[in-house]
Amino acid sequence: MAAAKAIKLKFNKRRLAGFTGNQLKMIAFILMLCDHIGFMLIENGVLYGQNPIYWNQALATPAGQRWYLAARILRFLGRMSYPLFAFLAVEGFSHTRNARKYILRLAFFAAISEVPFDLAIKGVVWFPDYQNTMVTILLGVLSMYFMDKIKKKHVFFQMIIAAVFCGAAYICKCDYGAVGVAMIAVMYIFRYDRNLQMISGAVIAAAESYTYCGVAALSFAFVRFYNGRRGDFPMKYFFYVAYPVHLALFFAMVYFGNR
């Protein structure tokens, strides 16, 4: 009698534990929504922060105080969004096959996001004294692009390039300003040492959010569990499109809600 062949059970290998890049993007986007709900819908909507008289009257009521507390909690959560976007910008640039296309795509969506951003923040079509977050990320990516061009030279020259684009963010009055660009540039410089990258990013994030008790540094708890994978579900353009769309939607909700 022929010996029966052994049956081997094959099990799928367990996927890498931790967060994929797409999951980190979704976490960052949700945290950003928390911040924008707190500011745009509650402070500038329910409490009508753009009208100082109505604002003071609203805060004088118990209901107004509850709404204000909700807004503050949401904005504290929202402080953790930008460091995640900054880290993902470093990852995206480090792994992109075409840096120029990456920059052009960012520039395009930064441009079309400006009017919805100005409407949602200030209630006007054009407000030159404050630029949207994508402009900040664009300047950070440009700093990485030019630092990469001189990567064989001393880090001192890379720091000069980073300082130039930090200055550009300050002059352009971008959201998160020079600190936002510095966060991207420094994490790019330390990209080969994840621990040093996280520490430097957390320190800058804490400094940027000092008025919120440095809570932005906590975002690197998510980065700690990043597994280096992009993720299976394609979400490449979702976040580019969702940014201006949700800003326009929030403005419409406040505009028609206050009529």
Coordinates of all heavy atoms in Angstrom, one line a residue, residues 25-26 45 80 96 119 135 200 221 256:
K25 N -2.4 58.7 6.7 CA -3.1 59.9 6.0 C -4.5 60.0 6.4 O -5.0 61.1 6.6 CB -3.0 59.6 4.5 CG -1.7 59.9 3.8 CD -1.7 59.6 2.3 CE -0.4 59.8 1.7 NZ -0.4 59.5 0.3
M26 N -5.2 58.9 6.6 CA -6.6 59.0 7.0 C -6.7 59.5 8.5 O -7.6 60.3 8.8 CB -7.3 57.6 6.9 CG -8.8 57.6 7.2 SD -9.7 58.8 6.2 CE -9.6 58.0 4.6
G45 N -18.9 79.6 13.1 CA -20.3 79.2 12.7 C -21.3 79.4 13.8 O -22.0 80.4 13.9
M80 N -2.6 67.7 16.1 CA -1.8 66.6 15.7 C -1.8 66.2 14.3 O -1.1 65.3 13.8 CB -2.3 65.4 16.6 CG -2.0 65.5 18.1 SD -2.3 64.0 19.0 CE -4.1 64.0 18.9
T96 N 9.1 58.9 -4.2 CA 8.5 59.2 -5.4 C 9.4 58.9 -6.6 O 10.7 59.0 -6.5 CB 8.1 60.7 -5.5 OG1 7.4 60.9 -6.7 CG2 9.3 61.6 -5.5
L119 N -12.2 81.5 1.9 CA -13.7 81.6 2.2 C -14.0 81.0 3.6 O -14.7 81.5 4.4 CB -14.5 80.9 1.1 CG -14.6 81.7 -0.2 CD1 -15.2 80.8 -1.3 CD2 -15.4 82.9 0.0
V135 N 0.2 75.0 0.6 CA 1.3 75.9 0.3 C 2.5 75.6 1.2 O 3.7 75.6 0.7 CB 0.9 77.4 0.3 CG1 2.1 78.3 0.0 CG2 -0.3 77.6 -0.7
S200 N 13.3 64.9 16.7 CA 13.4 66.2 16.1 C 12.0 66.7 15.7 O 11.7 67.9 15.9 CB 14.4 66.3 15.0 OG 14.0 65.4 13.9
A221 N 3.4 59.4 18.2 CA 3.0 58.1 18.7 C 2.5 57.3 17.5 O 2.7 56.0 17.5 CB 2.0 58.2 19.8
F256 N -24.7 79.6 4.7 CA -26.2 79.4 4.7 C -26.8 79.2 6.0 O -27.9 79.6 6.3 CB -26.5 78.2 3.8 CG -26.3 78.5 2.3 CD1 -25.2 77.9 1.7 CD2 -27.1 79.4 1.6 CE1 -24.9 78.1 0.3 CE2 -26.8 79.6 0.2 CZ -25.7 79.0 -0.4

